[in-house]
Amino acid sequence: MTAHSTESTAEQWDLTAQVSPYLDRHLIFPLLEYIIENLDYSKDDVAAARLELLRPTHMVDYAAECHKALHGDAPAEMKQQKEQVYQQLETLKNGCEPLLKLCQDENGKKKLVESGKWNVAGLTQLPETTSEMIQTYLALARFHFDCGDYKSSRDMLTHYISWHASPPATSAEDEEEDLVLAGVQQSKHQQQAQNNPDLGNPSMYYLKKVDKDMLQVLWGKLACEILVEDWTAARTALDAVKTAMETLTQMNQISALEALQQRTWLLHWSLFVYWNGPGGLEQLVDLCMTEKYKQAITTNAPHLLRYLTAAVLLCKRRVTSKTVEARRLMKQLVYVLQDCEYTDPIVEFVNCLCVKYDFDAAQVKLQECEKVLRADFFLCQQTAVFMEEARIFVFENYCRIHHKIDLQALGDKLAMAPAEAERWMVDLIRNATDMDACLQDDCVVMNSSRQSIYEQVMERTKDLNVRSATLSQSLNTLWNEARKEKLKREKAVMED
């Protein structure tokens, strides 16, 4: 795909080409829809790319519309493909019709659950169902997904997973809302699952075991939840994929290289999940800062540094009320920046402030950040919030090294007009609870609240006695246990 202009525009920061190889083709369609509406690409190029993505799928009507828009009437082969799709769909439905009827019969399903037969072993004992029928049911779920019927596929995969799960006993209210598979009861039954080996893992829909085939089912469930935009269920599905993947890695069923590749895919899919809904950015930062996933970013996908940097800037003020913890988060980000050979205005903005302390360069990068944000499918909704947090971040860093700041200079650093900067500064001082500053003669004056050396020493050593006592008690405990163990060994030797 090519942009109409060769100037430095938002299109040069578009990451669709870098992100797409790590996504299912169905997840790429929303990205193409966004760029064709918001970026200055050739619409014919984007439509051609979309048509190429559609060819291996069963979304024949959608492909025919795209072909008609590009080349005129759809070819005869598309009409033949449509007939074949309907034939295959009917064949699969007929192959698992008893299971389809059973899943639609709530009363029959409830009886099987209560009798402990809502599982593969119980279903195969029924006269009308077989193990081959269960595999046909799974194939039909995948077929619905390829046809673009994500809701039906999601519901069928939910049933398929439940047949392999071992959930705890639930109340009638829980069963009515299907809370077990929704993951809402995970914390409630976590302790019960640990104490009862017959229960499955609550982090992956109470599955007792997982293999590569089930991992693919979990990936499919996650894709469906994303495409139907059920973000709460998508987070549960994301955790299930992560848990299953790490479980298989520990069991040596997938190699270290395969695990690295799977983690890279998971990071890309998580962008859909964590950039939607409350609390997602904190979870994204936690995931990316985990050593294994940090390795996946630096090794396979350095372009994800854009999303990690944006997430840190957006959540660092609310992730904790402690300034020390917020600074620690920024230090961790700087370490990751140094390990990645990737740059864009968002990354450079943080680099200019936290590494180079170049406020003039940061001002230029901040102006470019807005173009990058509006060009990005995942970040576009956060443009206004990001610019606000970025300006506060500039102000925080500027105030660390200046006592008196001219409003004109501050406006330049924040890429704002002087009058706008003054209003912004007044609102910030009025609403902030941890800022001791005032406006005097068109200047921002920071009231020094720095502790003296004596106060700093007293603050850091005030709990020294408690820590020393705790350490001493721990040493005494270890010493006593060692003495008891030694006496037991000596007694055993004497008895022998």
Side-chain angles (χ1 to χ4, degrees):
M1 294 181 292
T2 57
H4 293 310
S5 175
T6 58
E7 299 178 1
S8 177
T9 58
E11 286 73 24
Q12 77 178 86
W13 305 117
D14 177 32
L15 291 181
T16 303
Q18 288 78 15
V19 171
S20 296
Y22 299 98
L23 299 177
D24 183 273
R25 66 178 61 246
H26 292 259
L27 296 177
I28 303 176
F29 293 130
L31 275 65
L32 295 181
E33 293 291 341
Y34 180 80
I35 65 175
I36 201 172
E37 293 177 4
N38 296 277
L39 299 183
D40 193 24
Y41 284 114
S42 167
K43 295 186 183 299
D44 288 343
D45 287 350
V46 179
R50 181 171 53 191
L51 182 60
E52 191 64 27
L53 278 174
L54 283 167
R55 291 190 188 280
T57 71
H58 299 317
M59 293 189 288
V60 187
D61 290 336
Y62 189 18
E65 290 177 7
C66 294
H67 191 282
K68 185 176 181 180
L70 274 174
H71 309 295
D73 292 336
E77 62 183 30
M78 283 192 172
K79 297 179 180 178
Q80 294 176 358
Q81 184 184 0
K82 184 176 181 179
E83 294 177 359
Q84 293 174 358
V85 167
Y86 278 112
Q87 290 176 1
Q88 293 175 3
L89 183 61
E90 288 300 318
T91 300
L92 289 172
K93 284 183 176 179
N94 293 333
C96 59
E97 186 175 0
L99 276 178
L100 291 173
K101 291 182 178 179
L102 184 61
C103 292
Q104 294 172 357
D105 182 6
E106 292 297 329
N107 292 329
K109 174 184 172 182
K110 185 176 180 181
K111 291 179 181 179
L112 289 174
V113 171
E114 292 175 348
S115 62
K117 293 184 178 181
W118 185 252
N119 49 55
V120 174
L123 291 175
T124 53
Q125 292 176 0
L126 299 177
E128 65 273 13
T129 58
T130 62
S131 57
E132 291 79 9
M133 198 175 292
I134 293 176
Q135 294 306 311
T136 304
Y137 186 87
L138 179 60
L140 179 59
R142 176 57 194 260
F143 198 87
H144 275 301
F145 182 85
D146 284 337
C147 291
D149 188 358
Y150 307 121
K151 187 177 184 304
S152 296
S153 179
R154 186 266 306 269
D155 295 340
M156 294 182 70
L157 290 176
T158 299
H159 287 133
Y160 182 84
I161 293 171
S162 69
W163 296 336
H164 295 78
S166 299
T170 57
S171 63
E173 291 80 6
D174 292 338
E175 292 174 1
E176 288 176 3
E177 298 182 12
D178 202 13
L179 295 181
V180 173
L181 285 179
V184 179
Q185 292 285 351
Q186 286 185 12
S187 58
K188 178 180 178 180
H189 297 298
Q190 185 76 41
Q191 188 64 38
Q192 185 179 359
Q194 293 176 354
N195 298 333
N196 189 347
D198 293 332
L199 296 181
N201 190 334
S203 297
M204 54 181 187
Y205 301 113
Y206 291 99
L207 291 170
K208 289 189 66 174
K209 60 182 180 179
V210 66
D211 54 20
K212 288 187 176 182
D213 292 336
M214 182 56 71
L215 178 60
Q216 293 303 311
V217 172
L218 295 176
W219 276 108
K221 180 80 157 61
L222 173 58
C224 291
E225 300 293 4
I226 292 173
L227 289 165
V228 300
E229 298 184 359
D230 188 343
W231 304 120
T232 301
R235 290 191 189 185
T236 304
L238 187 73
D239 291 339
V241 172
K242 179 184 174 184
T243 304
M245 181 176 56
E246 298 302 336
T247 300
L248 290 176
T249 305
Q250 294 172 3
M251 297 168 60
N252 295 322
Q253 293 191 21
I254 57 177
S255 65
L257 184 60
E258 289 175 321
L260 179 64
Q261 189 73 7
Q262 294 268 335
R263 293 187 189 108
T264 308
W265 277 69
L266 187 71
L267 285 167
H268 285 82
W269 291 39
S270 71
L271 297 177
F272 291 93
V273 180
Y274 289 143
W275 283 97
N276 291 277
L281 297 185
E282 288 81 356
Q283 291 179 297
L284 176 62
V285 171
D286 290 341
L287 178 65
C288 292
M289 290 300 185
T290 305
E291 190 60 36
K292 293 178 180 178
Y293 288 88
K294 192 190 304 180
Q295 181 186 11
I297 293 175
T298 56
T299 305
N300 285 351
H303 54 270
L304 292 179
L305 194 59
R306 170 189 294 182
Y307 304 105
L308 174 59
T309 304
V312 170
L313 278 176
L314 288 172
C315 75
K316 78 181 188 68
R317 292 174 61 85
R318 65 175 186 262
V319 71
T320 176
S321 59
K322 297 181 179 179
T323 306
V324 175
E325 292 297 326
R327 290 179 181 175
R328 181 185 60 80
L329 190 63
M330 290 304 302
K331 285 182 180 179
Q332 289 179 332
L333 175 61
V334 170
Y335 292 148
V336 180
L337 293 179
Q338 295 171 348
D339 292 336
C340 284
E341 295 182 359
Y342 170 81
T343 185
D344 66 19
I346 294 177
V347 174
E348 274 297 310
F349 170 72
V350 173
N351 192 49
C352 289
L353 285 181
C354 298
V355 179
K356 300 177 181 178
Y357 295 99
D358 186 343
F359 291 94
D360 292 330
Q363 171 196 349
V364 175
K365 297 300 178 183
L366 182 59
Q367 292 174 332
E368 294 179 0
C369 281
E370 191 164 5
K371 291 182 180 179
V372 178
L373 293 164
R374 296 191 185 280
D376 196 286
F377 171 82
F378 299 102
L379 303 180
C380 60
Q381 299 296 329
Q382 303 286 341
T383 301
V385 180
F386 178 92
M387 296 301 291
E388 176 70 12
E389 291 294 333
R391 289 182 176 123
I392 294 175
F393 188 47
V394 172
F395 180 74
E396 288 175 344
N397 283 270
Y398 202 71
C399 290
R400 290 180 188 172
I401 56 177
H402 295 84
H403 170 65
K404 192 173 184 180
I405 308 166
D406 182 70
L407 278 175
Q408 176 71 44
L410 180 62
D412 292 340
K413 303 304 178 190
L414 301 177
M416 300 169 70
E420 185 183 2
E422 182 176 359
R423 289 193 298 271
W424 182 84
M425 190 66 243
V426 169
D427 291 337
L428 182 62
I429 293 173
R430 181 185 296 121
N431 297 326
T433 58
D434 57 347
M435 181 178 297
D436 191 5
C438 61
L439 294 179
Q440 294 180 2
D441 301 326
D442 295 329
C443 293
V444 180
V445 179
M446 305 300 299
N447 297 323
S448 178
S449 58
R450 183 172 297 178
Q451 290 180 317
S452 66
I453 298 297
Y454 171 78
E455 291 173 332
Q456 292 180 38
V457 171
M458 292 298 295
E459 179 68 23
R460 296 188 181 187
T461 59
K462 65 181 181 180
D463 61 340
L464 192 58
N465 289 336
V466 177
R467 290 161 58 189
S468 299
T470 303
L471 181 61
S472 177
Q473 184 177 0
S474 299
L475 288 173
N476 287 332
T477 302
L478 290 174
W479 175 254
N480 291 332
E481 289 178 354
R483 287 183 60 188
K484 290 179 180 178
E485 187 65 27
K486 183 179 179 181
L487 290 174
K488 287 181 179 179
R489 288 197 300 268
E490 291 177 352
K491 184 177 180 180
V493 171
M494 293 294 294
E495 291 177 351
D496 292 340

